[in-house]
Amino acid sequence: MKTSSKTWFCALVLFAVQALGTLPASAFTGDELRAMYTSYFEAKGWDPSVDSDGDVRFKTGGKTYFIDVHEKDQEFFMIVLANIWPIESATERIQVIKAVDIVNAETKSAKTYTKGDNVWISYETFLADPRDFKVIFDRAFSSIDTAKDKFVEKMKE
Protein backbone atom coordinates (compact mmCIF):
# COMPACT_ATOMS: atom_id res chain seq x y z
CA MET A 1 0.00 0.00 0.00
CA LYS A 2 1.37 3.44 -0.88
CA THR A 3 1.81 6.03 1.85
CA SER A 4 -1.13 8.09 0.58
CA SER A 5 -3.28 4.95 0.48
CA LYS A 6 -2.29 4.10 4.06
CA THR A 7 -3.14 7.63 5.19
CA TRP A 8 -6.49 7.48 3.42
CA PHE A 9 -7.24 4.03 4.90
CA CYS A 10 -6.34 5.17 8.45
CA ALA A 11 -8.48 8.26 8.08
CA LEU A 12 -11.39 6.13 6.87
CA VAL A 13 -11.07 3.73 9.83
CA LEU A 14 -10.87 6.65 12.27
CA PHE A 15 -13.95 8.23 10.69
CA ALA A 16 -15.87 4.93 10.92
CA VAL A 17 -14.98 4.49 14.59
CA GLN A 18 -16.04 8.05 15.38
CA ALA A 19 -19.22 7.75 13.32
CA LEU A 20 -20.24 4.58 15.14
CA GLY A 21 -19.53 6.22 18.48
CA THR A 22 -17.36 3.37 19.68
CA LEU A 23 -14.14 3.65 21.60
CA PRO A 24 -11.57 1.02 22.32
CA ALA A 25 -12.40 -0.72 25.59
CA SER A 26 -9.21 0.61 27.17
CA ALA A 27 -10.60 4.13 26.80
CA PHE A 28 -12.18 3.93 30.27
CA THR A 29 -10.53 4.03 33.65
CA GLY A 30 -11.82 1.85 36.45
CA ASP A 31 -13.28 4.93 38.11
CA GLU A 32 -15.11 5.86 34.90
CA LEU A 33 -16.55 2.35 34.64
CA ARG A 34 -17.68 2.45 38.27
CA ALA A 35 -19.24 5.89 37.73
CA MET A 36 -21.09 4.61 34.65
CA TYR A 37 -22.54 1.62 36.55
CA THR A 38 -23.30 3.69 39.64
CA SER A 39 -25.17 6.28 37.61
CA TYR A 40 -27.23 3.58 35.90
CA PHE A 41 -28.25 1.99 39.22
CA GLU A 42 -28.99 5.35 40.84
CA ALA A 43 -31.41 6.05 37.97
CA LYS A 44 -33.13 2.75 38.80
CA GLY A 45 -33.29 3.75 42.49
CA TRP A 46 -31.08 0.84 43.58
CA ASP A 47 -28.67 2.75 45.87
CA PRO A 48 -25.32 1.54 44.50
CA SER A 49 -22.01 1.68 46.30
CA VAL A 50 -18.41 0.78 45.57
CA ASP A 51 -16.86 -1.79 47.89
CA SER A 52 -13.23 -2.13 48.97
CA ASP A 53 -12.48 -4.39 45.95
CA GLY A 54 -13.76 -1.74 43.55
CA ASP A 55 -16.90 -3.70 42.69
CA VAL A 56 -20.17 -1.82 42.21
CA ARG A 57 -22.78 -3.23 44.58
CA PHE A 58 -26.50 -2.62 44.33
CA LYS A 59 -29.53 -3.91 46.17
CA THR A 60 -32.93 -4.75 44.80
CA GLY A 61 -35.63 -7.19 45.79
CA GLY A 62 -33.95 -7.83 49.13
CA LYS A 63 -30.81 -9.19 47.47
CA THR A 64 -27.35 -7.71 46.96
CA TYR A 65 -25.69 -7.99 43.57
CA PHE A 66 -22.41 -6.66 42.30
CA ILE A 67 -20.68 -5.89 39.05
CA ASP A 68 -17.11 -7.10 39.09
CA VAL A 69 -15.22 -4.23 37.44
CA HIS A 70 -12.37 -5.48 35.25
CA GLU A 71 -10.35 -2.41 34.37
CA LYS A 72 -7.75 -4.37 32.38
CA ASP A 73 -10.33 -6.46 30.47
CA GLN A 74 -13.11 -3.99 29.84
CA GLU A 75 -14.82 -6.16 27.25
CA PHE A 76 -15.64 -8.62 30.05
CA PHE A 77 -18.89 -7.86 31.88
CA MET A 78 -20.04 -9.76 34.97
CA ILE A 79 -23.02 -9.42 37.31
CA VAL A 80 -22.94 -11.58 40.45
CA LEU A 81 -25.55 -12.68 42.97
CA ALA A 82 -23.44 -14.18 45.74
CA ASN A 83 -24.27 -16.49 48.61
CA ILE A 84 -27.76 -17.54 47.58
CA TRP A 85 -27.60 -20.87 49.37
CA PRO A 86 -25.29 -21.98 52.20
CA ILE A 87 -24.02 -25.55 51.90
CA GLU A 88 -24.34 -27.03 55.37
CA SER A 89 -23.23 -30.64 54.93
CA ALA A 90 -21.50 -33.09 52.62
CA THR A 91 -24.88 -34.63 51.78
CA GLU A 92 -26.31 -31.23 50.89
CA ARG A 93 -23.25 -30.47 48.73
CA ILE A 94 -24.12 -33.47 46.55
CA GLN A 95 -27.69 -32.20 46.18
CA VAL A 96 -26.36 -28.69 45.40
CA ILE A 97 -24.02 -30.01 42.70
CA LYS A 98 -26.89 -31.90 41.06
CA ALA A 99 -29.13 -28.81 41.20
CA VAL A 100 -26.36 -26.58 39.82
CA ASP A 101 -25.86 -28.97 36.91
CA ILE A 102 -29.57 -28.96 36.04
CA VAL A 103 -29.86 -25.18 36.34
CA ASN A 104 -26.82 -24.58 34.12
CA ALA A 105 -28.28 -26.90 31.49
CA GLU A 106 -31.72 -25.24 31.56
CA THR A 107 -30.91 -21.54 31.99
CA LYS A 108 -29.63 -19.24 29.28
CA SER A 109 -26.40 -17.35 30.00
CA ALA A 110 -26.42 -17.52 33.80
CA LYS A 111 -23.70 -19.53 35.49
CA THR A 112 -24.56 -21.22 38.80
CA TYR A 113 -21.65 -22.58 40.83
CA THR A 114 -20.30 -23.29 44.28
CA LYS A 115 -17.78 -20.99 45.87
CA GLY A 116 -16.57 -22.31 49.18
CA ASP A 117 -19.64 -23.33 51.15
CA ASN A 118 -22.08 -21.16 49.21
CA VAL A 119 -23.83 -21.08 45.87
CA TRP A 120 -23.31 -18.10 43.59
CA ILE A 121 -24.90 -17.12 40.29
CA SER A 122 -23.31 -14.88 37.72
CA TYR A 123 -24.00 -13.57 34.27
CA GLU A 124 -20.83 -13.24 32.22
CA THR A 125 -20.36 -11.96 28.68
CA PHE A 126 -18.10 -9.96 26.45
CA LEU A 127 -19.14 -6.53 25.16
CA ALA A 128 -17.40 -4.68 22.35
CA ASP A 129 -17.97 -1.44 24.25
CA PRO A 130 -18.48 -1.34 28.05
CA ARG A 131 -21.35 1.11 27.59
CA ASP A 132 -23.33 -1.65 25.88
CA PHE A 133 -24.11 -3.19 29.27
CA LYS A 134 -27.22 -0.97 29.32
CA VAL A 135 -28.60 -2.78 26.29
CA ILE A 136 -28.28 -6.26 27.81
CA PHE A 137 -28.66 -5.52 31.52
CA ASP A 138 -32.37 -6.28 31.97
CA ARG A 139 -32.10 -9.59 30.11
CA ALA A 140 -28.91 -10.51 32.00
CA PHE A 141 -30.54 -9.65 35.32
CA SER A 142 -33.58 -11.75 34.38
CA SER A 143 -31.30 -14.69 33.56
CA ILE A 144 -29.80 -14.55 37.06
CA ASP A 145 -33.25 -14.37 38.62
CA THR A 146 -34.46 -17.34 36.57
CA ALA A 147 -31.41 -19.39 37.58
CA LYS A 148 -31.95 -18.52 41.25
CA ASP A 149 -35.61 -19.55 41.13
CA LYS A 150 -34.78 -22.84 39.36
CA PHE A 151 -32.00 -23.59 41.80
CA VAL A 152 -34.18 -23.00 44.86
CA GLU A 153 -36.95 -25.10 43.29
CA LYS A 154 -34.53 -28.00 42.68
CA MET A 155 -33.19 -27.79 46.21
CA LYS A 156 -36.71 -28.00 47.67
CA GLU A 157 -37.64 -31.12 45.68
Side-chain angles (χ1 to χ4, degrees):
M1 202 182 281
K2 293 181 184 178
T3 304
S4 62
S5 296
K6 285 182 182 178
T7 304
W8 177 84
F9 179 75
C10 290
L12 180 62
V13 169
L14 182 60
F15 173 76
V17 168
Q18 290 173 341
L20 294 173
T22 59
L23 296 171
S26 61
F28 297 94
T29 66
D31 287 339
E32 289 170 330
L33 290 169
R34 284 184 276 279
M36 178 174 58
Y37 300 138
T38 299
S39 174
Y40 181 79
F41 297 131
E42 284 173 345
K44 286 184 164 288
W46 288 355
D47 193 31
S49 63
V50 177
D51 67 15
S52 61
D53 294 335
D55 302 327
V56 176
R57 295 192 178 272
F58 59 97
K59 293 182 180 184
T60 183
K63 294 179 275 317
T64 302
Y65 300 79
F66 68 89
I67 292 183
D68 194 356
V69 178
H70 289 262
E71 186 171 359
K72 292 183 180 169
D73 185 5
Q74 294 182 11
E75 292 176 345
F76 181 68
F77 177 75
M78 178 180 189
I79 308 167
V80 178
L81 174 59
N83 303 321
I84 68 157
W85 190 278
I87 303 169
E88 298 175 347
S89 70
T91 303
E92 186 177 48
R93 182 174 297 278
I94 293 168
Q95 183 183 5
V96 163
I97 290 169
K98 289 177 182 178
V100 162
D101 188 48
I102 292 168
V103 171
N104 284 338
E106 295 179 356
T107 307
K108 295 176 185 171
S109 299
K111 182 192 292 186
T112 306
Y113 53 96
T114 61
K115 187 161 182 162
D117 288 331
N118 274 288
V119 176
W120 288 33
I121 301 175
S122 65
Y123 173 89
E124 302 173 18
T125 193
F126 295 103
L127 301 170
D129 185 320
R131 294 171 290 195
D132 291 342
F133 88 95
K134 295 174 186 176
V135 177
I136 59 125
F137 183 82
D138 289 338
R139 184 88 188 261
F141 193 74
S142 174
S143 181
I144 290 173
D145 204 38
T146 297
K148 176 195 57 71
D149 290 345
K150 283 184 181 189
F151 176 80
V152 171
E153 178 185 315
K154 293 296 176 192
M155 289 302 292
K156 291 183 177 180
E157 288 181 350

